[in-house]
């Protein structure tokens, strides 16, 4: 007979079975269910079979009245289905009793009661779905009990069906989902503090309430089961992914309150008046350390554990929309923190095989499944598609799925590029048909929004971002079938113009609370598509862009965010976002492509525009990018930014230096050669000579603008934010600028040759060879330009570096080192003593016999200049006379012979100390033989060849200088070739006549 409650004398007269029968019958109607749900005493009767057994601390199932328990379950199921249960005391009681009952089942031999356990968990799950986990204090109490129950459930080895794991994990997922939803909707920070503290305990591995580790364990168990061939654990894996996502999302929401976010460009512009403060930058630009700490644990396991990979793969591949969405958002965060994880996502060929990195994506990967989801979502969103009514296509939030799919793809592309995997084949299939299909889906989603005229919807913007990011991986690849076939699916230039106008609108922008979306500006995808159209559309696309005013729109975008902030900007919660780092790179690259379209004066000869571009290299911006953890971040982001700015501002230099018959600057023609290839400036020099002439005429004004906005200082400072392997393009730009004295002076003033910078570039870790050669050319060009730079070159310690470079394995480096030393001796004897102290002369002499012809040529040049100003180094140079003599007699190019003859001339210029060696080592005889070899052409010049092209004049000049010394005159008079000088007096070249006459006259003097 029932003894619980005093509801009425009727209850006291009925047996337990009769009471439950009556309640079950009443629960089948909404009114009856409502009466039961709102009566605590009646609910106690319903729960009585569960409570009486669980409170006895049972050791077996013998005392459990399974029939009564089953009847109680049916009543509870009816109450839940009726929708009459409310959040409050009654729901708290139900949840507590079910948790206690299920925990008691776990303590006994559950193999005999799996069905009851599954039913209990199923009702608990439904109860949590309809009522939540109760008040904040109840949430913490229920949460602790559920976490303990979950830990016990995971230890079961008898759950071969996977149902218990599924139901328990689903309860955890629902509880966390409801808590996260409440955090999002809460307007009071204080009211949610108890819930926040408990949620943080749930991700803390050291806490007894930690569920995060348990969820990872569930994924491991699921993956192990799946790898054994069973699919029973797929539902549990799906629920685990949902629960993990809810936990991570909750942590993000909690700590998002502590940070205000902005993209590096706008943030740095707000900080221009302040000194860079690393701590403040980290708080505003880095991912908060607490969410990152949680995600990092997931990343580590995902990359290292095959079972975790398999479980997440199946959660995405076979899960329902909620699991699919959760797994997607986990993937986007994993990829944001780990390029290695991106490789796994692209290379998981078959979850039952060992994961191996491949060169191309294939079917059966998460990435290929993402494209399948996109295709499904596109079909669902397409109003004309007949699939909309198909049950398989019923999606509650197809736009949201598109956003998360595309953000994940864009993040994968960005991270692959950051580690040098620059090919879209890592993401797309190797099949051209499938490649086109994937790209077409993204293109279709990009422009399927009817409201595009007034705004860009998030799912369209994210599709543009994904398409741009994937296509960007193929920039620079030759003959790529993807790039060759993509132009047709890109938006027209007019459409891109309209998209850019929307991007330039003056509306206030707000940011999502989503951690990943805080670090991605999907609206910048249209800039990526513009870049692709300009890149692959050729000159016609450039003309279309300029006629549509694209360059002007790009300038406006670059200026976005240069606004007056309200007072106390830290208290301003809503600010314009400006361009993301990725969007900024695309904008700069697009602007560079437009330079050949007639907008040069708009860009290069307006100081405010040059300053706008130059200021992108501010310390504040580069620090911001270094700290930034979103797309195009860190050192790769700084590298790409600096290179993009260099490509734009180098255009006039490249155009002028590449043009035929244009007057050269004092810089060597090969300075910054890296910039001469692949940039539009080189092409315009050939295709548009009038434009190049106009640029040349305006170069002084452009040089003045660069100086006034301090571009030399900015480009030098940018080197501090780059890895040594990435300095090639900025060093090439410096090499271009050094040819113009005002810029050269400013570069040296700004620290181009500071000992620390030179040591960083040339000492220790080697910089790229092209950067090394350009830096040697910079030294050479500065030394050739003026002796005013000698002191700075000396204080930089260049001579020791040059000595080492003379013995380099690279012939190019040896040649450039010889050239630099030669120019360092061009204007004065400033370095003579240092050359002797560093014992450089002996190595220079050895280089005169170098296997490389250019090195021999420049070594002769350096030796000659080392003897030009005085005879301080004559003794060290004595050994070079036989080497120079051999070069005069060998089959060398005329320039080398000319330098050798000039060097011999300088060896007798300042004293007669080496005259005996000049004669005895055969140098004078070699010079006379050269006169004999070139005399016939001097008397009867060939058509089209002038004497300026032969070494004869320098040889005659050398012999004339030697006539200043008696021992040389004596040898000359006695030579059988002496009569040649009388013959040369008949040459049509007056300089040759003059030199020959002087030699003939002075040689006869005793």
């Amino acid at each position: 007979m029932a003894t619980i409650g005093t509801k009425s004398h009727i209850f006291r007269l009925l047996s337990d079975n009769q009471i439950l029968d009556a309640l079950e019958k009443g629960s089948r109607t909404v009114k009856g269910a409502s009466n039961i749900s709102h009566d605590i005493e009646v609910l106690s009767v319903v729960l009585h079979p569960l409570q009486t057994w669980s409170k006895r601390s049972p050791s077996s199932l013998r005392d459990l009245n399974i029939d009564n328990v089953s009847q109680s379950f049916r009543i509870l199921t009816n109450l839940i289905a009726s929708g009459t249960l409310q959040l409050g005391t009654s729901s708290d009681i139900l949840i507590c009793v079910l948790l206690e009952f299920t925990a008691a089942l776990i303590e006994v031999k559950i193999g005999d009661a799996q069905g009851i356990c599954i039913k209990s968990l199923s009702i608990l799950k439904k109860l949590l779905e309809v009522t939540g986990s109760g008040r904040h204090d109840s949430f913490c109490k229920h949460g602790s009990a559920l976490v303990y129950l979950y830990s016990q459930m995971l230890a079961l080895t008898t759950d071969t069906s996977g149902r218990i794991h599924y139901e328990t994990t689903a309860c955890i997922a629902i509880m966390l989902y409801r808590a996260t939803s409440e955090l999002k909707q809460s307007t009071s920070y204080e009211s949610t503090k108890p819930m926040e503290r408990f949620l943080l305990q749930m991700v803390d591995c050291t806490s007894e309430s930690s569920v995060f580790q348990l969820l990872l364990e569930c994924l491991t168990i699921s993956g192990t089961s799946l790898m054994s061939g069973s699919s029973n654990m797929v539902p549990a894996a799906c629920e685990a992914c949902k629960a993990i996502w809810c936990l991570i999302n909750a942590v993000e929401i909690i700590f998002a309150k502590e940070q205000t976010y902005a993209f590096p460009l706008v943030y740095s512009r707000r900080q221009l008046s302040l000194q860079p403060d690393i701590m403040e930058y980290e708080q505003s630009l880095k991912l908060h350390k607490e969410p990152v700490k949680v995600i990092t644990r997931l990343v580590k396991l995902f990359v290292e554990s095959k079972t975790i990979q398999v479980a997440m793969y199946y959660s995405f591949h076979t899960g329902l929309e909620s699991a699919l969405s959760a797994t997607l958002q986990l993937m986007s965060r994993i990829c944001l923190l780990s390029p290695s994880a991106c490789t796994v996502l692209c290379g998981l060929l078959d979850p039952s095989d060992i994961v191996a990195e491949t060169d191309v994506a294939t079917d059966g990967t998460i990435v290929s499944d993402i494209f399948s989801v996109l295709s499904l979502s596109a079909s669902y969103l397409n109003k004309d598609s007949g699939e909309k009514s198909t049950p398989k296509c019923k999606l509650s939030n197809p736009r949201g799925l598109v956003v998360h799919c595309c953000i994940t793809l864009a993040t994968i592309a960005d991270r692959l590029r950051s580690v040098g995997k620059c090919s879209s084949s890592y993401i797309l299939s190797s099949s051209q048909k499938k490649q086109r299909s994937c790209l077409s889906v993204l293109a279709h989603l990009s422009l399927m929004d009817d409201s595009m005229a007034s705004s860009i919807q998030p799912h369209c913007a994210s599709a543009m971002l994904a398409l741009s990011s994937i296509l960007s991986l193929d920039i620079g690849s030759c003959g790529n079938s993807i790039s060759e076939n993509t132009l047709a699916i890109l938006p027209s230039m007019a459409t891109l113009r309209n998209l850019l106008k929307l991007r330039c609108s003056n509306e206030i922008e707000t940011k999502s609370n989503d951690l990943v979306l805080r670090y991605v500006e999907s609206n910048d995808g249209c800039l990526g598509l513009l870049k692709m159209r300009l890149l692959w559309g050729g000159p016609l696309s450039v003309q279309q862009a300029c006629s549509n005013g694209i360059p002007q729109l790009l300038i406006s975008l670059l200026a976005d965010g240069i606004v007056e902030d309200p007072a106390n900007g830290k208290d301003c919660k809503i600010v314009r976002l400006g361009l993301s780092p990725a969007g900024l790179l695309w904008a700069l690259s697009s602007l560079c492509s437009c330079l050949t379209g007639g907008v040069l004066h708009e860009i290069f000869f307006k100081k405010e525009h040059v300053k706008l571009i130059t200021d992108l290299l501010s310390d504040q911006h580069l620090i911001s990018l270094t700290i930034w953890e979103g797309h195009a971040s860190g050192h790769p982001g700084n590298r790409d930014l600096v290179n993009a700015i260099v490509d734009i501002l180098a255009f006039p230099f490249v155009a002028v230096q590449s043009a035929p018959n244009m007057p050269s600057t004092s810089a060597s023609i090969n300075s910054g050669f890296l910039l001469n290839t692949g940039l539009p400036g080189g092409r315009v020099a050939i295709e548009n000579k009038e434009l190049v002439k106009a640029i040349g005429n305006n170069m002084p004004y452009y040089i003045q603008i660069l100086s006034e906005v301090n571009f030399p200082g900015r480009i030098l400072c940018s080197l501090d934010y780059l890895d040594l392997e990435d300095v090639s393009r900025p060093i090439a730009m410096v090499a271009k600028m050094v040819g113009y004295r005002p810029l050269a002076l400013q570069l040296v003033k700004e620290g181009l040759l500071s000992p620390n910078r030179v040591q960083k570039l040339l000492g220790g870790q080697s910089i790229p060879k092209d950067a090394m050669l350009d830096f040697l050319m910079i030294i050479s060009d500065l030394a050739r330009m003026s002796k005013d730079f000698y002191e700075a070159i000396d204080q930089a310690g260049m001579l020791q570096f040059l000595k080492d470079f003379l013995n380099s394995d690279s012939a190019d480096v040896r040649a450039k080192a010889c050239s630099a030393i030669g120019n360092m001796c061009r204007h004065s004897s400033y370095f003579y003593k240092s050359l002797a102290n560093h014992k450089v002369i002996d190595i220079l002499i050895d280089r005169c016999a170098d296997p490389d012809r250019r090195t021999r040529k420049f070594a002769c040049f350096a030796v000659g200049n080392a003897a030009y100003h005085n005879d301080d180094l004559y003794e060290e140079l004595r050994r070079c006379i036989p080497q120079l003599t051999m070069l005069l007699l060998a089959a060398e190019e005329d320039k080398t012979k000319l330098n050798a003859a000039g060097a011999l001339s300088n060896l007798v210029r300042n004293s007669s100390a080496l005259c005996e060696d000049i004669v005895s080592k055969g140098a004078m005889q070699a010079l006379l033989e050269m006169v004999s070899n070139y005399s016939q052409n001097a008397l009867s010049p060939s058509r089209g060849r002038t004497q300026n092209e032969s070494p004869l004049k320098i040889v005659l000049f050398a012999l004339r200088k030697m006539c200043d010394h008696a021992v040389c005159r004596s040898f000359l008079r006695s030579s059988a070739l002496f009569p040649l000088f009388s013959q040369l007096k008949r040459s049509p070249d007056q300089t040759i006549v003059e030199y020959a006459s002087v030699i003939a006259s002075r040689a006869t003097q005793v």
Side-chain angles (χ1 to χ4, degrees):
M1 186 76 66
T3 59
I4 295 179
T6 59
K7 182 65 180 173
S8 68
H9 69 283
I10 298 176
F11 272 23
R12 287 195 296 270
L13 297 175
L14 298 176
S15 67
D16 290 346
N17 291 340
Q18 290 172 323
I19 294 173
L20 290 175
D21 287 341
L23 291 176
E24 182 178 3
K25 183 177 180 180
S27 70
R28 292 170 184 160
T29 66
V30 174
K31 182 177 179 181
S34 178
N35 291 335
I36 297 172
S37 298
H38 292 86
D39 193 320
I40 298 297
E41 190 174 351
V42 175
L43 281 177
S44 297
V45 174
V46 175
L47 296 174
H48 179 63
L50 284 68
Q51 287 179 303
T52 53
W53 182 78
S54 57
K55 287 182 177 179
R56 293 174 187 166
S57 300
S59 58
S60 71
L61 297 173
R62 285 182 224 159
D63 299 332
L64 179 64
N65 189 328
I66 294 179
D67 291 337
N68 285 356
V69 168
S70 298
Q71 196 165 23
S72 294
F73 283 166
R74 289 195 297 271
I75 295 170
L76 292 175
T77 301
N78 291 338
L79 297 182
I80 294 170
S82 70
T84 57
L85 282 173
Q86 299 287 326
L87 177 63
T89 304
S90 60
S91 63
D92 278 354
I93 293 173
L94 293 176
I95 292 172
C96 282
V97 171
L98 286 168
L99 285 170
E100 290 171 1
F101 177 73
T102 310
L105 286 174
I106 296 296
E107 297 294 331
V108 300
K109 189 177 180 182
I110 198 171
D112 299 330
Q114 281 203 20
I116 297 175
C117 186
I118 291 170
K119 187 63 178 177
S120 177
L121 290 169
S122 177
I123 293 173
L124 178 61
K125 177 185 69 175
K126 292 176 182 176
L127 193 60
L128 290 170
E129 284 178 345
V130 297
T131 66
S133 53
R135 301 180 305 275
H136 295 164
D137 55 343
S138 300
F139 168 79
C140 297
K141 180 178 67 174
H142 298 332
S144 296
L146 186 54
V147 170
Y148 173 76
L149 177 64
Y150 191 45
S151 66
Q152 299 303 304
M153 290 291 190
L154 289 177
L156 294 177
T157 58
T158 57
D159 182 28
T160 56
S161 69
R163 283 293 304 279
I164 294 178
H165 284 86
Y166 161 69
E167 297 290 356
T168 320
T169 310
C171 290
I172 295 285
I174 291 167
M175 179 187 68
L176 293 174
Y177 174 78
R178 297 298 292 261
T180 304
S181 299
E182 189 165 337
L183 284 179
K184 291 178 180 178
Q185 297 167 6
S186 175
T187 56
S188 170
Y189 177 65
E190 291 298 325
S191 66
T192 59
K193 271 191 173 180
M195 181 182 291
E196 290 181 6
R197 282 195 294 269
F198 187 71
L199 284 168
L200 293 178
Q201 289 176 6
M202 296 181 87
V203 296
D204 184 359
C205 287
T206 63
S207 170
E208 292 182 359
S209 301
S210 175
V211 75
F212 187 72
Q213 197 64 35
L214 297 176
L215 292 168
L216 294 176
E217 185 181 338
C218 179
L219 283 181
T220 301
I221 294 170
S222 301
T224 302
S225 174
L226 287 162
M227 290 172 67
S228 70
S230 171
S231 61
N232 290 341
M233 290 296 292
V234 170
C238 293
E239 295 302 319
C241 286
K242 288 162 61 176
I244 292 172
W245 159 236
C246 288
L247 260 183
I248 290 175
N249 192 25
V251 177
E252 290 175 5
I253 293 169
I254 292 169
F255 290 101
K257 301 173 183 177
E258 300 180 7
Q259 288 184 294
T260 55
Y261 293 86
F263 287 131
L265 180 57
V266 171
Y267 181 83
S268 64
R269 284 170 172 167
R270 294 205 302 268
Q271 302 295 319
L272 279 175
S273 60
L274 306 174
Q275 290 295 321
D277 185 332
I278 296 297
M279 291 299 294
E280 182 180 349
Y281 275 48
E282 288 184 349
Q283 292 175 4
S284 298
L285 295 167
K286 287 180 74 70
L287 298 167
H288 197 288
K289 63 180 181 180
E290 293 302 326
V292 168
K293 191 188 303 181
V294 179
I295 299 169
T296 300
R297 283 158 56 194
L298 177 60
V299 167
K300 186 175 187 298
L301 278 176
F302 180 80
V303 172
E304 296 177 356
S305 170
K306 175 67 183 301
T307 54
I308 296 287
Q309 294 170 15
V310 171
M312 294 186 73
Y313 170 83
Y314 275 101
S315 174
F316 186 82
H317 185 71
T318 59
L320 297 176
E321 182 179 358
S322 56
L324 192 152
S325 177
T327 308
L328 263 177
Q329 297 191 79
L330 291 178
M331 290 302 171
S332 63
R333 283 151 179 77
I334 290 173
C335 293
L336 191 64
L337 297 187
S338 172
S340 298
C342 298
T343 303
V344 173
L345 295 183
C346 297
L348 191 59
L349 302 181
D350 184 341
S352 62
D353 296 333
I354 297 175
V355 177
E357 185 176 316
T358 60
D359 292 331
V360 294
T362 62
D363 295 333
T365 66
I366 290 180
V367 168
S368 65
D369 278 359
I370 287 176
F371 282 107
S372 298
V373 172
L374 286 173
S375 181
L376 174 64
S377 300
S379 298
Y380 188 85
L381 290 171
N382 191 339
K383 294 179 180 179
D384 298 328
S385 173
E387 292 183 321
K388 184 174 180 180
S389 60
T390 304
K392 183 180 178 181
C393 297
K394 286 184 178 178
L395 299 173
S396 62
N397 186 16
R399 289 178 174 81
L401 279 179
V402 170
V403 169
H404 295 308
C405 283
C406 291
I407 294 301
T408 302
L409 288 174
T411 303
I412 291 173
D414 176 79
R415 290 315 188 230
L416 288 177
R417 189 173 186 278
S418 72
V419 293
K421 296 183 181 296
C422 298
S423 171
S424 62
S425 61
Y426 280 100
I427 296 178
L428 303 174
S429 167
S430 58
S431 163
Q432 291 190 21
K433 182 179 179 181
K434 291 181 179 179
Q435 290 172 3
R436 288 193 293 270
S437 175
C438 293
L439 296 176
S440 296
V441 168
L442 289 173
H444 176 65
L445 287 167
S446 298
L447 299 173
M448 68 182 307
D449 183 23
D450 294 336
S451 64
M452 193 75 78
S454 59
S455 64
I456 307 176
Q457 291 298 309
H459 68 286
C460 297
S462 60
M464 289 187 225
L465 180 67
L467 182 59
S468 302
S469 301
I470 293 172
L471 294 177
S472 294
L473 290 173
D474 287 318
I475 292 178
S477 59
C478 299
N480 188 289
S481 60
I482 295 174
S483 61
E484 291 170 357
N485 298 317
T486 302
L487 193 60
I489 67 172
L490 295 177
S492 68
M493 196 62 70
T495 300
L496 290 169
R497 175 199 60 201
N498 294 334
L499 291 171
L500 287 179
K501 284 184 176 180
L502 290 175
R503 186 67 184 79
C504 292
S505 66
N506 292 322
E507 297 177 6
I508 295 296
E509 299 182 46
T510 57
K511 258 199 179 285
S512 167
N513 286 325
D514 188 284
L515 179 143
V516 173
L517 294 180
R518 285 175 181 266
Y519 288 84
V520 177
E521 177 48 86
S522 55
N523 287 328
D524 288 345
C526 60
L527 289 165
L529 296 183
L530 171 63
K531 175 181 178 179
M532 300 307 133
R533 177 158 283 282
L534 289 169
L535 180 67
W536 293 323
L540 179 60
S541 289
V542 173
Q543 292 175 11
Q544 292 172 343
C546 293
S547 63
N548 277 280
I550 297 294
Q552 291 75 18
L553 288 172
L554 292 173
I555 289 292
S556 297
L557 279 173
L558 292 178
D560 192 17
I562 304 181
V563 293
E564 292 289 333
D565 276 339
N568 300 321
K570 291 184 179 179
D571 298 327
C572 182
K573 298 297 183 183
I574 301 178
V575 295
R576 265 191 84 72
L577 298 178
L579 289 171
S580 68
L584 175 59
L585 292 175
W586 283 328
L588 290 170
S589 181
S590 298
L591 190 61
C592 184
S593 297
C594 291
L595 294 178
T596 58
V599 294
L600 293 176
H601 286 272
E602 184 81 15
I603 307 300
F604 298 119
F605 304 119
K606 285 191 176 181
K607 181 179 176 180
E608 62 271 24
H609 291 168
V610 177
K611 185 177 188 304
L612 180 66
I613 296 171
T614 297
D615 285 347
L616 296 175
L617 296 177
S618 69
D619 283 330
Q620 288 84 353
H621 189 213
L622 294 174
I623 289 175
S624 298
L625 274 177
T626 302
I627 296 172
W628 176 254
E629 292 176 319
H631 293 191
S633 61
H635 286 289
N638 279 332
R639 172 200 64 207
D640 294 341
L641 174 67
V642 172
N643 289 349
I645 292 171
V646 165
D647 288 349
I648 292 175
L649 297 183
F651 183 93
F653 295 99
V654 174
V656 169
Q657 290 187 14
S658 300
N661 303 321
M662 287 296 290
S664 63
T665 67
S666 59
S668 302
I669 190 66
N670 289 325
S671 296
F673 181 76
L674 177 67
L675 301 178
N676 293 355
T677 57
L679 289 185
R683 296 193 300 272
V684 79
I686 300 172
E687 299 168 359
N688 194 335
K689 295 181 180 179
E690 289 300 318
L691 181 60
V692 174
K693 184 177 180 181
I695 295 173
N697 293 337
N698 286 279
M699 278 302 286
Y701 182 49
Y702 181 55
I703 299 304
Q704 179 184 341
I705 291 175
L706 289 178
S707 179
E708 289 176 356
V709 302
N710 194 25
F711 177 69
R714 293 289 199 201
I715 196 67
L716 288 178
C717 287
S718 73
L719 296 174
D720 297 332
Y721 298 93
L722 301 178
D723 293 328
L724 286 179
E725 63 188 20
D726 298 325
V727 301
S728 295
R729 296 189 87 80
I731 292 292
M733 183 66 185
V734 173
K736 294 289 186 189
M737 292 193 292
V738 157
Y740 298 83
R741 187 176 178 85
L743 295 179
L745 289 168
Q746 192 168 359
L747 283 165
V748 173
K749 180 182 177 182
E750 293 289 342
L752 168 63
L753 298 179
S754 70
N756 288 341
R757 171 161 286 122
V758 173
Q759 176 63 35
K760 179 181 178 182
L761 291 174
L762 302 183
Q765 184 181 349
S766 167
I767 61 176
K769 181 181 176 181
D770 48 12
M772 174 80 73
L773 295 176
D774 272 331
F775 198 82
L776 291 176
M777 290 302 297
I778 289 169
I779 300 300
S780 186
D781 288 340
L782 286 172
R784 180 172 58 175
M785 183 180 290
S786 172
K787 64 181 179 181
D788 296 341
F789 297 113
Y790 280 4
E791 183 177 358
I793 293 172
D794 186 23
Q795 291 178 352
M798 277 305 305
L799 203 53
Q800 181 60 50
F801 289 115
L802 291 170
K803 177 183 177 182
D804 295 337
F805 293 149
L806 288 174
N807 290 315
S808 169
D809 292 335
S810 168
D812 292 329
V813 172
R814 296 196 302 272
K816 299 294 186 187
C818 290
S819 176
I821 293 172
N823 282 314
M824 286 162 60
C825 298
R826 181 186 181 93
H827 299 288
S828 76
S829 60
Y830 182 98
F831 285 101
Y832 280 12
K833 185 176 181 180
S834 296
L835 287 171
N837 291 339
H838 284 81
K839 302 188 183 306
V840 174
I841 297 299
D842 279 345
I843 306 176
L844 271 180
I845 294 172
D846 291 339
R847 296 287 72 79
C848 290
D850 196 272
D852 177 62
R853 60 179 181 81
R854 290 167 303 145
T855 303
R856 295 194 296 272
K857 176 174 65 179
F858 288 117
C860 293
F861 165 69
V863 165
N865 281 356
Y868 182 80
H869 299 285
N870 58 48
D871 62 354
D872 289 354
L873 297 176
Y874 272 18
E875 195 56 44
E876 285 86 351
L877 290 168
R878 183 185 298 273
R879 193 170 64 85
C880 76
I881 295 173
Q883 303 280 21
L884 297 174
T885 302
M886 291 177 61
L887 291 173
L888 292 177
L889 297 174
E892 292 286 339
E893 61 179 86
D894 285 352
K895 183 64 176 176
T896 303
K897 292 188 175 187
L898 185 150
N899 287 346
L904 289 170
S905 170
N906 292 339
L907 289 173
V908 298
R909 172 186 172 87
N910 300 296
S911 77
S912 59
L914 301 179
C915 287
E916 291 287 350
D917 285 64
I918 292 286
V919 173
S920 64
K921 302 297 183 184
M924 283 199 72
Q925 180 62 31
L927 289 170
L928 288 171
E929 290 182 14
M930 286 188 69
V931 172
S932 175
N933 293 335
Y934 288 101
S935 61
Q936 185 61 41
N937 189 65
L939 295 172
S940 302
S942 302
R943 177 175 293 185
R945 178 180 172 88
T946 67
Q947 290 308 308
N948 291 329
E949 298 173 0
S950 84
L952 181 59
K953 290 182 181 180
I954 296 298
V955 171
L956 292 174
F957 179 84
L959 289 169
R960 189 183 73 166
K961 293 299 296 180
M962 291 176 183
C963 286
D964 291 340
H965 307 284
V967 65
C968 297
R969 292 196 298 271
S970 175
F971 178 83
L972 194 56
R973 287 194 304 270
S974 62
S975 173
L977 297 175
F978 183 64
L980 284 173
F981 298 103
S982 297
Q983 298 175 22
L984 288 173
K985 293 178 184 179
R986 300 194 302 272
S987 171
D989 188 308
Q990 290 304 307
T991 302
I992 292 177
V993 171
E994 178 187 347
Y995 287 170
S997 299
V998 170
I999 293 169
S1001 173
R1002 297 192 62 186
T1004 58
Q1005 298 176 8
V1006 179

